[in-house]
Amino acid sequence: MASARGSWTGGSLRARSFLKPHHVSTAVFHPAWIPPSLDPSIERLKRFRVIAGAVASIGVYTVLEGGFDVTELLENALTASAVLLFLTPLTVGVMLFVWRRTGTVSQLRTPLLNSLKLLLLFIGCVVALVLLVQTTNGSGNPLVILGVGLTMMWMLVFVANGAVRVSGNFFGTAAVHRCLPALLATVTSWLMAIPDLVTGDLHGLSLTMGIVFILGAPVTVTAIALAETGRLKRRYGIRLGTHPSSLPPVPGPVPPAPPTGLPHVPPQGNPYGHPRPPAPGGNPYAPGPGGNPYAPGAGGNPYVPGPGGHPYAPPQPPYHPPRYPHGPHGG
């Protein structure tokens, strides 16, 4: 599956990667075309939102009521998938209607199609996992139970990790608009809670505990989503009601600071420099107060004899002036 930013997985999967289903799930459900977070603070808010959304999806009241039930969890996952299949396109469609004043839908065709693919892929994996569980529970053949059971366990880790990933990026809708994941998380959490509030189904809990566990997750998700969108607006000028093409350009990732020095150079400087300190106010390669060790004169030219004479040169030039002042043949 291709995307606007290269391959779906970004080339991160190898054959041995399939031995670790959570690695495969991360590559599949957080594709390479999803833009990275703008700063660590927004990423932390997304993590908090994922935790609160997990509370809304799984239902803490189910655990308190009768213990953790995998079958009921999968039924809730199917229900949530049906809600997402209806709610996500509807919410995005409403925002496209709002954005029509400042942009067109054709400008967002590629990220919209990629997000739809990711949504359908996740729902298909959830349905496949439910079918595997039903096949394992309904079969009496040990070979079928063993083969399908191993596949089911792989798929369980794969889908569970995928649910965490899509809860953070909300099917890659950040590639459409940075504020869409927070909006979709808020709408989904409230839609999951409203039926229980309307019907008064507290799942066997008291009135106080039922209201806390039914309203706690959507209220928390909403508060975190508001903080997330508010930070995007203040720091980067990203507004939910503005078409993505009209938003200001976001800054790219900050490159790491370069090292203070080369790893192979000693901290004292040049390893081939003069071992003695340089002359005060002079050239670091000029002789210091003690003179050049290769020149006999203090601060003199090494090829000119000093006061005591050079040991390898006579005290005067080797060639005497000519005897004939006007040349060898006279003047």
Side-chain angles (χ1 to χ4, degrees):
M1 287 177 283
S3 67
R5 295 182 59 191
S7 65
W8 188 276
T9 62
S12 59
L13 289 182
R14 301 292 184 268
R16 62 176 180 271
S17 299
F18 288 88
L19 298 176
K20 300 177 180 179
H22 60 285
H23 288 176
V24 181
S25 179
T26 300
V28 171
F29 293 115
H30 193 85
W33 48 263
I34 296 180
S37 296
L38 293 178
D39 58 44
S41 61
I42 294 179
E43 186 64 26
R44 287 193 294 268
L45 287 174
K46 285 184 179 181
R47 291 196 186 103
F48 293 146
R49 175 165 54 80
V50 169
I51 294 173
V55 174
S57 301
I58 298 175
V60 178
Y61 49 83
T62 302
V63 179
L64 296 178
E65 180 184 359
F68 188 79
D69 189 356
V70 176
T71 304
E72 187 171 359
L73 174 62
L74 293 177
E75 292 176 356
N76 291 341
L78 276 179
T79 304
S81 299
V83 171
L84 291 173
L85 184 59
F86 166 77
L87 184 63
T88 302
L90 178 62
T91 306
V92 175
V94 171
M95 293 310 303
L96 290 175
F97 181 78
V98 173
W99 295 335
R100 78 189 190 283
R101 297 170 297 178
T102 54
T104 62
V105 178
S106 59
Q107 295 173 290
L108 307 174
R109 182 179 291 111
T110 299
L112 285 172
L113 290 177
N114 286 333
S115 298
L116 180 60
K117 292 176 186 178
L118 187 56
L119 172 64
L120 296 177
L121 177 62
F122 177 74
I123 294 176
C125 290
V126 172
V127 173
L129 176 60
V130 173
L131 293 177
L132 287 174
V133 172
Q134 293 177 350
T135 302
T136 304
N137 294 337
S139 176
N141 189 337
L143 295 178
V144 174
I145 294 176
L146 180 61
V148 178
L150 291 176
T151 307
M152 180 194 71
M153 294 303 298
W154 192 96
M155 283 293 297
L156 184 61
V157 177
F158 178 79
V159 172
N161 185 75
V164 175
R165 297 297 173 181
V166 298
S167 297
N169 58 54
F170 231 94
F171 308 105
T173 49
V176 181
H177 195 291
R178 292 276 185 175
C179 294
L180 266 183
L183 174 65
L184 289 169
T186 302
V187 174
T188 304
S189 61
W190 277 106
L191 191 62
M192 296 291 290
I194 285 176
D196 290 337
L197 292 176
V198 173
T199 60
D201 185 9
L202 302 180
H203 299 270
L205 299 175
S206 64
L207 179 62
T208 303
M209 293 296 293
I211 292 177
V212 168
F213 285 115
I214 291 175
L215 289 181
V219 169
T220 305
V221 170
T222 302
I224 296 174
L226 289 175
E228 183 179 342
T229 54
R231 191 161 298 184
L232 288 172
K233 177 181 176 181
R234 290 191 306 271
R235 294 188 177 183
Y236 306 101
I238 299 177
R239 299 171 182 269
L240 178 61
T242 305
H243 192 279
S245 63
S246 302
L247 293 173
V250 297
V254 180
T260 56
L262 295 177
H264 303 293
V265 176
Q268 68 269 19
N270 190 349
Y272 305 102
H274 201 279
R276 293 177 288 103
N283 192 337
Y285 300 101
N292 193 329
Y294 302 102
N301 192 332
Y303 302 101
V304 177
H310 198 281
Y312 302 105
Q316 56 184 357
Y319 302 100
H320 299 282
R323 295 181 182 181
Y324 308 99
H326 303 288
H329 304 285

